[in-house]
């Protein structure tokens, strides 16, 4: 094999190994981003449930206050 052929073979092997390593690294980064997205979604859902519970509590208090004011005026 000529020196030029050896250099070409070596360069193509290095390029191939580099591309495989990059693709592997990129897939790991994508998986990490997906995990972070799931955690953020769970946090958003929890906050939404808390806000919804607060809303129901406020509606309940509003209804009680309206009822008390309504009965207070009837007296």
């Amino acid at each position: 094999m000529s020196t030029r052929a050896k250099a070409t073979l070596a360069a193509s092997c290095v390029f191939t190994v580099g591309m495989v390593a990059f693709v592997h690294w990129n897939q790991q980064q994508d998986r990490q981003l997906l995990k972070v997205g799931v955690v953020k979604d769970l946090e958003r859902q929890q906050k939404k449930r808390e806000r919804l519970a607060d809303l129901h509590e406020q509606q309940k208090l509003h209804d009680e206050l309206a009822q008390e004011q309504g009965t207070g005026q009837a007296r």
Side-chain angles (χ1 to χ4, degrees):
M1 236 176 8
S2 70
T3 305
R4 189 174 211 174
K6 289 178 185 176
T8 303
L9 178 62
S12 63
C13 288
V14 168
F15 176 76
T16 301
V17 169
M19 287 304 295
V20 168
F22 172 75
V23 168
H24 180 69
W25 174 80
N26 195 21
Q27 285 177 342
Q28 286 180 333
Q29 295 300 316
D30 289 343
R31 284 189 198 116
Q32 287 296 335
L33 288 175
L34 289 173
K35 288 179 185 177
V36 169
V38 169
V39 170
K40 285 183 179 180
D41 284 345
L42 292 174
E43 289 173 355
R44 278 190 217 114
Q45 289 174 358
Q46 179 64 29
K47 287 180 182 179
K48 184 177 180 180
R49 282 191 293 269
E50 290 171 0
R51 287 192 304 267
L52 191 58
D54 288 343
L55 174 65
H56 289 305
E57 182 67 26
Q58 288 297 319
Q59 288 174 338
K60 180 182 171 187
L61 291 173
H62 178 268
D63 292 342
E64 288 175 4
L65 180 62
Q67 185 180 16
E68 286 176 12
Q69 289 178 346
T71 58
Q73 291 174 352
R75 287 185 184 184

